[in-house]
Amino acid sequence: MPRTLRIRSSGDDVKFLQEQLNSRPPTARPLLAADGKFGAKTRSQLQEYQVNNALTVAKTTGFCVLGRDLYDRQGARVILRGGNTMSVFDNDDPIGFVSFPGIKQAGANTVGRPKR
C-alpha cells in the first residue's frame, strides 16, 4: 500500500515535503516549520503548490529516493548496514551457514552476493 501524506502524518517524508515547499521562491507566505508533522499549514501550502502547477497526487508502491535518502513504501527512512565479508557464498559455504551468524552479530541488514 503506498504511503499517502495527510493531516497527522509524520516522518522524514513530511519533513522533506516541508523543506521543498520552503525552498520555493519567497512570497508573502510564512515558512513552514520543517518538523515532520503534516498539519493544516503544510496542507494549505501543498494544495496551493499543486493548484498553481497543475499537479496531481504522486504515489509510490515500492522504495523511493527523496533527496539523498531511501524510503520504503510506508514512508520510513531506510538505512542499509552491510558487511564486508567477501566469502559469504563460496564453495565451502554456498548458503552462508558459517558467515551469516557473524554478519547478524555485526548488525548488518544487507548482504551482497558477488558477481560470478
Side-chain angles (χ1 to χ4, degrees), residues 30-46:
L31 291 177
L32 295 168
D35 57 5
K37 298 175 183 174
F38 197 114
K41 292 178 184 177
T42 300
R43 180 180 60 185
S44 175
Q45 285 198 26
L46 177 60

Side-chain angles (χ1 to χ4, degrees), residues 20 23 29-30 33 35-36 38 41 43 45 50 52 59 62-63 66 84 86 90 93 100 104 114-116:
Q20 294 302 303
S23 70
R29 73 179 180 289
D35 57 5
F38 197 114
K41 292 178 184 177
R43 180 180 60 185
Q45 285 198 26
Q50 289 173 322
N52 291 342
K59 293 184 179 182
F63 286 94
L66 297 173
N84 284 334
M86 293 299 289
D90 61 16
D93 187 20
F100 281 125
K104 179 180 179 182
K115 292 182 182 178
R116 295 188 182 212

Side-chain angles (χ1 to χ4, degrees), residues 79-96:
I79 299 175
L80 300 176
R81 295 180 302 273
N84 284 334
T85 304
M86 293 299 289
S87 62
V88 173
F89 301 103
D90 61 16
N91 291 335
D92 296 330
D93 187 20
I95 60 171

